[in-house]
Amino acid sequence: MNAITHQKILAAGRYRDVSLEGVDRETARRLYRFMLRLRRCEEALAAEYHPADEMRCPVHFCIGQETVPAALSVLLKAEDHLYCHHRSHGYYLAKGAPMRAMFAELYGKETGANGGRAGSQDISFPAVNFHSGAILAGATAVAMGTALALKTQQRPGVVVAGFGESATDEGIFWETVSYAALRKLPIVFVCENNNYSVFSPLLKRQPTDNISEKVSAFGMKSAALFGNDAPLVYRILREAIEAARAGSGPAFVEAYTCRWSGHYGPASDDLVGYRSEEEVRAWKENDPIALLEEAMAAAGQADAAGRTALLKEIDAEVADCFHFAKSSAFPKGGDWRAMNYAAASPEADRLLVEIDEAAFDHEQVAVQAKGY
Amino acid sequence: MSGSPVRSPRTQPAAQQLSYAEAIAQGTAQAMELSRDVLLIGQLIDYSPGVFGTTTGLAERFGAERVLDFPVAESAMTAAGMGAALAGMRPVLIHHRLDFMLYSMDALVNWISLWRFKSNGESRVPLTIRAIIGKGWGQGPQHSKSLHAWFAHLPGLKVAMPATAFDAKGLLLESIFGDDPVVIIEHRTLFGLKDAVPAAPYRVRFGRAAVRREGSDLTLVAAGVMVPLALRAAARLAQEGVSAEVIDLRTVSPLDSETVLASVAKTGRVAVFDPTWASFGVASEVIARVAERLGRRLKADPIRITHPDSHTPMSAALEALYYPNEEDVLKRLRALAA
């Protein structure tokens, strides 16, 4: 098997295989718009992060990794569920959660997606079935459980679990893949293989680079692909999601990509020396947005004027989100217990009966005093 | 919080004598009848032994899709229970031994317990986890741990320790149809204990301790499998002219401080029976709460009746030394009363 690896991608140099085949004009426009919106949003957040220091939470920027969220933004329906890792912004926006609430969450405001409880790496928007978490593979198993519920109750919808390749270092990921394959659950696993667990490269952590070959051995369909080719990512994910939706079971998609920024925060952490300048430069030459833009321009679907108009619209939205976040109030706090436990139990109220416990007490004492 | 010992004569609802295991089985079956959202997940739960009789026959009645024999993958199983709960189901996870669920600590600590908080109250995880504790016949250090204090330490998680068949059923139903995640600690040696159990699907509220025996000289606070021991000790003390009040905590999170404090305010002497290690446990927590509110009104130093701070031995000879024995407990209680 001629598996994709990071080494092969770097050796291949400039990528020239973007094709709009199977991607209609409207879909290409949506992919492009989503990626540009995500990129500008991340760049604006990065620029504002320091020295203002008003977003006082760890932020893992996803610049360079826009294709998977872009494809999901087109493919997922309201009834579907999306779980992802700490590099969450793209996924959050992909499921249609509001950008304003994301910004406010980063600023720790009451109007934030989670009222300032979660921040960037743990953000969720339950109303659109979007959840994230920072403990890598944990969310893949939670996602599998949601897929189990959909299958058990024969409900419509698919579940997508997005994660990085480091999640596959953890055992729970393989338990999850095995069970999803066994039960043919309606779930798609999408792995953004950016090669690094913070600084540590995949080949220092696992004996082989390609994760999808291992997943195949667990009895699940899998595909590895060059992850900066947005139309390709879209086509492969569409096939996987449609199959899962049709009841054909799960799939694993491995998108090879690169994060441009450091592991967290806007600054580069390349000074640590864990990856070379050439490596990052090579990936930047295969910028997913530029690659799509070129293909669209060649097909007469994109031009400089269109881009300028789009950026104007996006920048206005981003400015509005900053204004919303900064002008919102901080949470006031309150009863800590009430933040952690349900205030009521309506289902128990509806289904269970109240019993006069005192009527049973004497008998229990008599039984128990005898011992067991 | 109630837990008032006042009893008024009322009509007793229809009840039957059921064992603790039968009460769990009945409660589970009723929950599954009441709601299609209830799903059982655990290892071997669809075979005839049915986890000590608590799930026997349920697969035949409700189907393999809802009585799910899961692979030995406790970590994924627990996280999956959460995922199913987020999709609106009310899963019940079952562990033959609590020790087996420790692979799932990440799911419990980093996901399940904090999901409501982290979502600012928008998400809920109505998940029930039954964890069984072994004792005797050489269960040894990997089949006998009761880590209720670990679970009770976590905000967002509730912890029940039913000591009677009545509570085993009522707390299980309350857990399943409540909106918070719950760990229910069940002790294997209680499974044969029979008492009167109402036939209806009823609820036992969390955070309401029961005064199992009224008394005026000593307060014996007990959790789970320690309740019968405390009651036997109280019965023997009564023969010696010492009147001990016995409080069954029923749930350790939330913990019904008020019932305990009301009793200790009356007696001024307290012993806490906790079926696990002494240090950093529920007994310590109860005594801390007593000390914070009644410290200067105590007539004697509080005591903890627990296991030693040691892992559980296999040998019966060592087990006899390890678990609190009635005679030693009585000696300590007599000293407390003196």
Side-chain angles (χ1 to χ4, degrees):
Chain A
M1 190 168 172
N2 190 20
I4 286 189
T5 64
H6 278 282
Q7 205 174 11
K8 285 182 191 169
I9 289 170
L10 288 173
R14 183 76 158 88
Y15 183 83
R16 304 200 181 276
D17 300 334
V18 179
S19 156
L20 293 175
E21 194 187 326
V23 180
D24 61 36
R25 203 180 175 91
E26 172 60 10
T27 301
R29 189 195 65 80
R30 288 177 66 188
L31 291 173
Y32 179 66
R33 187 184 186 285
F34 184 94
M35 291 203 293
L36 205 58
R37 178 172 177 249
L38 177 56
R39 174 74 59 90
R40 292 294 269 201
C41 161
E42 293 287 86
E43 285 174 345
L45 287 170
E48 187 68 18
Y49 194 69
H50 296 309
D53 289 349
E54 290 171 348
M55 286 173 264
R56 302 179 74 87
C57 64
V59 176
H60 303 80
F61 292 97
C62 65
I63 296 171
Q65 297 188 202
E66 291 92 354
T67 64
V68 168
L72 294 176
S73 77
V74 177
L75 293 165
L76 292 182
K77 301 182 183 181
E79 70 209 24
D80 297 335
H81 299 254
L82 178 59
Y83 291 85
C84 83
H85 48 71
H86 48 283
R87 210 170 296 287
S88 60
H89 300 178
Y91 292 88
Y92 173 96
L93 295 173
K95 200 63 182 69
M99 191 186 278
R100 270 184 162 196
M102 184 175 96
F103 277 47
E105 185 63 24
L106 269 53
Y107 277 84
K109 297 299 180 73
E110 187 59 37
T111 53
N114 306 118
R117 271 67 163 172
S120 167
Q121 63 186 355
D122 282 313
I123 196 167
S124 66
F125 211 86
V128 298
N129 299 331
F130 168 77
H131 300 278
S132 77
I135 317 290
L136 303 193
T140 64
V142 177
M144 180 270 280
T146 297
L148 176 64
L150 297 183
K151 184 177 172 95
T152 301
Q153 299 200 317
Q154 298 175 324
R155 285 154 55 185
V158 295
V159 182
V160 171
F163 49 94
E165 93 291 340
S166 306
T168 73
D169 288 0
E170 294 178 328
I172 189 172
F173 172 74
W174 300 99
E175 294 181 7
T176 297
V177 162
S178 179
Y179 194 70
L182 174 76
R183 295 294 312 281
K184 297 192 164 43
L185 298 181
I187 182 167
V188 172
F189 298 93
V190 54
C191 173
E192 291 180 280
N193 184 338
N194 70 12
N195 198 30
Y196 293 98
S197 173
V198 188
F199 309 135
S200 181
L202 182 51
L203 285 175
K204 201 175 166 193
R205 298 177 282 118
Q206 295 190 25
T208 55
D209 176 328
N210 192 289
I211 311 288
S212 46
E213 286 183 325
K214 288 180 248 191
V215 171
S216 294
F218 277 69
M220 187 181 296
K221 282 179 294 182
S222 76
L225 59 142
F226 178 66
N228 283 12
D229 179 341
L232 176 64
V233 170
Y234 168 78
R235 283 190 296 269
I236 300 287
L237 277 175
R238 183 180 60 191
E239 190 185 328
I241 289 170
E242 282 178 359
R245 207 183 286 291
S248 304
F252 176 88
V253 174
E254 182 178 15
Y256 277 75
T257 187
C258 171
R259 69 170 146 74
W260 290 9
S261 60
H263 164 67
Y264 89 99
S268 165
D269 52 13
D270 291 340
L271 288 173
V272 174
Y274 68 99
R275 59 181 186 181
S276 69
E277 272 179 48
E278 296 73 39
E279 180 179 336
V280 180
R281 192 183 316 121
W283 275 102
K284 285 185 176 174
E285 280 165 14
N286 286 324
D287 174 1
I289 296 177
L291 290 178
L292 177 60
E293 201 173 62
E294 272 176 35
M296 288 173 70
Q301 297 178 20
D303 56 31
R307 181 190 168 94
T308 305
L310 196 50
L311 284 178
K312 194 176 165 194
E313 184 191 316
I314 291 167
D315 290 348
E317 184 189 11
V318 168
D320 167 71
C321 290
F322 273 123
H323 176 74
F324 176 77
K326 291 182 181 190
S327 61
S328 289
F330 281 109
K332 287 196 176 65
D335 180 352
W336 293 103
R337 183 175 172 80
M339 293 183 215
N340 286 281
Y341 292 94
S345 49
E347 196 71 348
D349 297 346
R350 190 172 72 82
L351 294 172
L352 303 181
V353 302
E354 301 278 359
I355 286 283
D356 174 15
E357 294 181 7
F360 294 88
D361 238 20
H362 286 297
E363 186 152 3
Q364 284 164 23
V365 171
V367 171
Q368 291 218 334
K370 281 184 223 153
Y372 50 88
Chain B
M1 300 291 169
S2 80
S4 154
V6 176
R7 290 171 186 146
S8 52
R10 286 177 201 150
T11 319
Q12 190 160 318
Q16 69 284 49
Q17 285 289 319
L18 290 186
S19 72
Y20 191 96
E22 289 164 346
I24 292 170
Q26 187 181 80
T28 308
Q30 288 177 341
M32 297 189 80
E33 278 165 6
L34 285 168
S35 170
R36 279 187 64 245
D37 292 335
V38 179
L39 168 71
L40 300 195
I41 308 177
Q43 286 136 25
L44 313 175
I45 62 175
D46 55 345
Y47 291 91
S48 59
V51 195
F52 313 114
T54 61
T55 64
T56 307
L58 295 176
E60 290 75 10
R61 279 179 69 184
F62 299 104
E65 292 270 316
R66 289 181 66 198
V67 183
L68 203 55
D69 180 15
F70 206 84
V72 193
E74 295 87 355
S75 183
M77 176 174 124
T78 306
M82 168 176 163
L86 285 176
M89 296 193 79
R90 294 178 175 275
V92 180
L93 310 183
I94 306 171
H95 297 278
H96 284 78
R97 286 290 180 270
L98 183 148
D99 314 69
F100 304 162
M101 70 181 277
L102 298 183
Y103 271 124
S104 59
M105 286 306 278
D106 173 61
L108 262 184
V109 178
N110 279 320
W111 302 83
I112 290 164
S113 76
L114 55 74
W115 222 247
R116 169 180 293 279
F117 172 82
K118 184 171 94 61
S119 70
N120 198 16
E122 280 189 46
S123 293
R124 58 188 169 89
V125 185
L127 176 67
T128 303
I129 302 175
R130 291 181 45 210
I132 298 167
I133 315 298
K135 181 188 173 189
W137 201 253
Q139 294 290 297
Q142 291 188 336
H143 273 47
S144 65
K145 287 189 289 299
S146 192
L147 298 171
H148 46 279
W150 283 20
F151 305 131
H153 189 61
L154 285 169
L157 201 60
K158 291 180 171 174
V159 183
M161 296 181 73
T164 65
F166 179 96
D167 283 354
K169 179 179 168 184
L171 285 168
L172 174 65
L173 284 165
E174 182 75 5
S175 303
I176 293 173
F177 293 115
D179 278 352
D180 289 316
V182 178
V183 177
I184 304 181
I185 308 281
E186 300 168 2
H187 205 279
R188 180 70 186 86
T189 59
L190 294 171
F191 276 41
L193 191 70
K194 281 195 174 182
D195 59 56
V197 176
Y202 60 94
R203 62 197 306 184
V204 170
R205 307 270 184 168
F206 276 72
R208 292 188 188 173
V211 177
R212 296 291 184 206
R213 180 187 181 107
E214 290 173 44
S216 53
D217 299 328
L218 296 181
T219 298
L220 311 185
V221 180
V225 71
M226 284 292 200
V227 174
L229 177 63
L231 283 165
R232 285 198 305 277
R236 288 190 50 192
L237 287 172
Q239 292 164 8
E240 301 170 14
V242 176
S243 166
E245 184 145 295
V246 178
I247 295 172
D248 175 355
L249 288 175
R250 305 166 103 189
T251 68
V252 295
S253 173
L255 181 65
D256 179 2
S257 305
E258 296 310 314
T259 297
V260 172
L261 290 166
S263 178
V264 179
K266 179 172 68 177
T267 63
R269 298 171 199 271
V270 60
V272 188
F273 291 61
D274 187 11
T276 186
W277 305 307
S279 298
F280 310 101
V282 167
S284 314
E285 179 64 27
V286 170
I287 289 172
R289 293 189 189 194
V290 167
E292 282 173 341
R293 293 268 295 274
L294 299 170
R296 280 168 294 183
R297 291 164 63 185
L298 291 176
K299 296 173 189 160
D301 294 338
I303 63 172
R304 289 178 283 181
I305 310 283
T306 66
H307 306 173
D309 283 335
S310 160
H311 288 290
T312 316
M314 182 283 291
S315 165
L318 291 172
E319 270 187 338
L321 299 170
Y322 180 77
Y323 290 107
N325 94 23
E326 201 169 317
E327 297 309 320
D328 291 343
V329 166
L330 275 166
K331 271 184 218 161
R332 296 188 64 197
L333 294 179
R334 286 185 197 113
L336 178 67

